[in-house]
Amino acid sequence: MPFSRLLNSSYTAATAIVRSNSSNGKNLCSHGLVTGRQTSTRVKSPGRSFGSSTQVHSAFSHLSARPHSLLTRVNGTLPSSKFVKASDSSRAKSTCTHQKEFALDIERLFHGNQEFVARMQKDHPGFLVKSANEAQKPSLMILTCADSRVDEQAMFSAPLGTAFTTSNIANQFEESDAPTNAVLGFAVNALRVRHIIVLAHYGCGGVANSMMPVPSDKSFAMKSVQDWIDPVRKIYQTSDRPEIVAHREMTKMTPLTELPDIHDPAFRALVEENLKATVRKIAASKAVQEVYNSSEIDDKVNFFVHGWIYDMETGKVFDLGVSVGPPGCEVPASPFPLVAQAKGA
């Protein structure tokens, strides 16, 4: 999909999202990694409604009288004791307190899948069968943040098969991270994508947390998160970007106790600096350099690495202007506005 088509699709999707959110009052500015703070999250599904809560509640109202109805049979057998222990009724009751909400989550996905199938059969008859029986041929690889509010398919109004995608907290790339490295290697060697897009977003919870003091919680889950965002924390601690330097000085004596506001200049600057670091790491990776330095390089294996930022409040995508490509190849012009223009968007 050419960049101009991505731009037009992105603006169309952004307009629809902004109109929708302005009418229902959704807060897009909540960061997604805050313990104990309510955040607005969604299932990654491009702009679809899963039906009214009344309809869903009615469909599952019978479950309230049968607390274990979702686990009573698996292929006609009772569930394993590791799920529900008959001798531990108090524990079973405590863990099933919110079963109705759990059931509603799955019910929404079920209805969403039904709507997807119906829409595809109506608008694109035969597409799913055709795509399933042909090899995928995406022209793009997109590495984005795992934030539930960032959906690359929705923001570009892109059809299935457009992009080979992967995501993680704060859209990072480390060559020691096997899953992300495997996606990159497959994209450039097997799929022969033409563009690798690192897609960051303002309001990133991983970036926000890297500006906070390291929490005292030493649980495995929390340690895993902190270990992963440590490279972003190091950028915050060493960057000479004026906004970040000023923020470090300001919090030296009084560390942050709350996450920074989405419009905080240092926060936005750190999102951008982290994106630059990821683009540099991908461009210098073994998978990319191996292709760039190949004697067989030609137009079929040429690809470019880009750094873009998604503004959750407007739905628009901006170009950071840090694209790189093979030696001797000019980076194609981008129709996306530069990040410097984001403030006036």
Side-chain angles (χ1 to χ4, degrees), residues 39-298:
T39 60
S40 172
T41 59
R42 63 170 178 80
V43 175
K44 280 199 172 183
S45 176
R48 294 194 291 272
S49 169
F50 292 99
S52 70
S53 58
T54 303
Q55 292 172 324
V56 176
H57 180 272
S58 176
F60 267 71
S61 59
H62 65 286
L63 291 180
S64 59
R66 294 187 293 169
H68 304 305
S69 57
L70 288 183
L71 293 175
T72 51
R73 291 189 179 275
V74 179
N75 295 327
T77 63
L78 291 175
S80 165
S81 60
K82 68 181 180 180
F83 293 112
V84 179
K85 292 183 179 180
S87 61
D88 193 357
S89 59
S90 62
R91 179 176 176 81
K93 289 180 181 178
S94 66
T95 56
C96 295
T97 301
H98 303 289
Q99 182 163 343
K100 186 178 292 186
E101 287 86 347
F102 294 159
L104 290 175
D105 291 338
I106 305 304
E107 181 74 359
R108 292 187 186 99
L109 292 180
F110 172 70
H111 286 302
N113 179 246
Q114 288 184 315
E115 292 178 9
F116 166 74
V117 172
R119 185 171 63 255
M120 291 300 292
Q121 290 175 344
K122 177 184 177 182
D123 299 340
H124 307 283
F127 174 84
L128 294 178
V129 173
K130 183 175 183 292
S131 64
N133 288 277
E134 294 180 350
Q136 62 171 322
K137 299 177 182 178
S139 60
L140 314 170
M141 172 191 154
I142 300 180
L143 165 59
T144 187
C145 181
D147 193 303
S148 62
R149 301 162 295 178
V150 178
D151 187 325
E152 64 283 346
Q153 185 170 310
M155 72 176 69
F156 296 121
S157 298
L160 297 175
T162 299
F164 192 56
T165 64
T166 187
S167 62
N168 59 55
I169 294 175
N171 45 267
Q172 298 184 82
F173 176 80
E174 297 294 337
E175 216 152 2
S176 59
D177 177 43
T180 308
N181 212 27
V183 171
L184 176 62
F186 192 77
V188 300
N189 285 283
L191 298 177
R192 301 293 177 89
V193 298
R194 295 192 290 273
H195 302 279
I196 297 171
I197 299 167
V198 183
L199 185 64
H201 69 101
Y202 292 121
C204 176
V207 174
N209 274 267
S210 71
M211 302 172 71
M212 301 283 290
V214 178
S216 57
D217 185 347
K218 301 299 181 183
S219 65
F220 176 81
M222 183 57 69
K223 185 178 185 303
S224 298
V225 173
Q226 293 301 320
D227 286 349
W228 179 253
I229 66 173
D230 187 60
V232 189
R233 191 184 299 279
K234 289 178 179 176
I235 294 175
Y236 173 72
Q237 294 170 342
T238 61
S239 174
D240 58 1
R241 181 94 174 245
E243 304 97 310
I244 299 176
V245 172
H247 192 275
R248 282 202 310 263
E249 291 300 316
M250 180 183 69
T251 58
K252 187 175 293 184
M253 299 301 295
T254 309
L256 289 181
T257 57
E258 293 184 357
L259 292 178
D261 182 79
I262 191 172
H263 299 115
D264 187 311
F267 184 15
R268 295 174 74 89
L270 188 56
V271 168
E272 296 166 8
E273 293 305 306
N274 180 54
L275 175 56
K276 291 178 184 178
T278 300
V279 170
R280 286 195 298 268
K281 289 177 182 178
I282 290 179
S285 68
K286 292 180 181 178
V288 168
Q289 288 301 314
E290 191 174 64
V291 176
Y292 279 178
N293 295 324
S294 171
S295 59
E296 301 176 358
I297 192 167
D298 54 32

